[in-house]
Amino acid sequence: MTVLEDRIEMARSSGELTLDMMFEWLERMPVPEGYKVEIVEGNIFMAPQRDTHWEIIAAIYDQLRTKYPRKRVKSDVRIDYPGHLNGFASDVTVMAEDAEKQPGGLWRHEDVEFVAEVISKKTAANDYGPKKDAYAAAEVPVYLVVDPYTGRWHLYTQPKDGEYRGELGFDFGDEIDLTGTVVDLVLKTDEFPRD
């Protein structure tokens, strides 16, 4: 029996729902191709990835790759965060240089240095609400929200006591200056498409 199977069996016998159980159920479901699946506060969200969404993710990824090796930049990879049943597959994540997977193959939220989320209409409330709260509780140093519907981006920094103390927002076309953060580079937004 694997560690995951053992944990799922323990949760079943105790009646306690876990993220591992929920993701195991999702793996058995016929999730349509091109859909992103996350669990936020115990609720399952599925959203199709639109072309605009992917173009912005790719633009952020490409710019991060000028500084970071491929093994440190992740997209749509499950990482469990503080709070009740939070298993996110963030659009873009940068891991710390010394990050290592946990037993069972998951990355630790303590090793996340940067997260970017590109807004989808049906899940926007998560990105600005419970996900932002979970990232702050996990002390993710830099959290970027990109909104193709408004053509604006929002940057959250300086997590302390479960909330972000630094907040900045500008329009597409304005650079995202991350030189004063752990990321230490400038992201260009002039080619971010709008919906």
Side-chain angles (χ1 to χ4, degrees):
M1 183 176 282
T2 68
V3 173
L4 176 59
E5 290 169 333
D6 186 46
R7 289 175 70 190
I8 291 169
E9 186 55 40
M10 285 177 22
R12 282 188 182 133
S13 63
S14 71
E16 177 186 333
L17 187 63
T18 68
L19 281 170
D20 288 339
M21 284 176 66
M22 294 178 78
F23 277 106
E24 180 183 283
W25 296 334
L26 287 168
E27 288 175 9
R28 294 180 185 171
M29 289 177 52
V31 176
E33 185 74 28
Y35 273 69
K36 175 179 174 176
V37 179
E38 293 186 301
I39 300 173
V40 180
E41 296 185 326
N43 297 299
I44 297 169
F45 292 89
M46 287 191 279
Q49 192 173 72
R50 301 168 337 278
D51 188 58
T52 299
H53 191 256
W54 171 244
E55 288 297 324
I56 294 171
I57 291 169
I60 293 169
Y61 178 87
D62 289 346
Q63 292 178 71
L64 290 169
R65 286 282 294 124
T66 64
K67 177 178 179 181
Y68 296 102
R70 182 176 293 117
K71 69 179 185 171
R72 288 186 59 192
V73 184
K74 310 291 178 195
S75 181
D76 291 338
V77 173
R78 174 186 164 190
I79 298 175
D80 297 346
Y81 285 91
H84 177 69
L85 298 176
N86 286 322
F88 305 155
S90 307
D91 291 323
V92 181
T93 303
V94 174
M95 304 302 297
E97 187 172 358
D98 59 350
E100 293 183 17
K101 288 183 182 179
Q102 303 177 76
L106 296 178
W107 295 98
R108 298 172 351 118
H109 67 78
E110 293 91 347
D111 294 328
V112 174
E113 293 185 342
F114 170 86
V115 169
E117 297 284 9
V118 180
I119 294 293
S120 293
K121 279 187 180 179
K122 294 187 179 192
T123 60
N126 289 338
D127 294 325
Y128 287 114
K131 288 177 78 174
K132 181 178 130 192
D133 293 343
Y135 293 140
E139 297 187 354
V140 173
V142 181
Y143 175 43
L144 175 65
V145 178
V146 180
D147 189 335
Y149 301 103
T150 63
R152 293 184 56 84
W153 54 264
H154 304 273
L155 180 66
Y156 301 95
T157 58
Q158 303 169 2
K160 185 176 180 186
D161 299 327
E163 65 182 48
Y164 283 105
R165 304 301 169 108
E167 182 175 341
L168 188 64
F170 284 101
D171 298 319
F172 286 11
D174 295 320
E175 293 180 339
I176 305 170
D177 187 353
L178 302 174
T179 55
T181 72
V182 66
V183 179
D184 195 30
L185 56 81
V186 175
L187 297 176
K188 299 198 178 301
T189 66
D190 52 332
E191 293 186 7
F192 285 4
R194 292 188 61 166
D195 262 343

